[in-house]
Amino acid sequence: MMKLVVLTGAGISAESGLKTFRDSDGLWEGYNVYDVATPEAWERNPELVQEFYNERRRQVLAAKPNRGHEILAELEAYFDVEIITQNIDDLHERAGSTKVTHLHGIITKSQSDIRPDVTYPIEGTEINMGELCEYGSQLRPHVVWFGEAVPMIEVAAKICTTADVFVLIGTSLAVYPAAGLIDFVPRLTPKYIIDPVTPNVKRYQNVISIEKQAISGLAELKKILLDGR
């Protein structure tokens, strides 16, 4: 099977009703991201950060995968599909995708405050203050905050080097290091970009823009890919 590598951003989850901080001048559900999504915020007010992510987790669990997520899962019948996502929700998995790499963590897990590689599934919707990891440290959301390392970036870069077809969906290529992953895609590999506004990719070869929202753009892409088989 041909290797189809897909990098997804906030645009695909937005059509399931999940908001991101980019929707409103650095605000995420009314909060400045630096008050709820940095290590400094956690040190300053862990209760606020914990409750913020508990609420985001409730929203994620109430949301449903949309047709865009479903199309990516369906493409596994025809391609070796690997999804790299910047999103912290689990909508790709719930839609049926089997190979998903989360660059920025996943909100349905907790992690040790001192050992980010020590993670646990969350029972229910909340992490409570006073819940500790096996090392005696407070549990926090398994989410990469601004200013923290992105541990899966090297894995994702290696996946990108193997792409026979590369697809970028719903991301403005503004957040690094994720935005640099396209640099690892082979030069002549077809690069489909699905977004209402195509980001600046003029220096790359073999780029095909589909200037649509994720769901309608993926429906078009599926037809293109299957017709070309």
Side-chain angles (χ1 to χ4, degrees), residues 10-11 13-14 18-24 27-29 87:
S13 293
L18 297 180
K19 296 180 181 178
T20 74
F21 68 88
R22 294 181 196 82
D23 290 338
S24 180
L27 298 179
W28 190 2
E29 298 285 358
N87 301 330

Side-chain angles (χ1 to χ4, degrees), residues 137-163:
S137 176
Q138 173 64 45
L139 290 175
R140 52 161 270 192
H142 181 47
V143 172
V144 176
W145 289 328
F146 289 95
E148 292 186 318
V150 180
M152 296 303 292
I153 195 68
E154 291 184 6
V155 173
K158 187 174 182 180
I159 293 170
C160 287
T161 66
T162 67

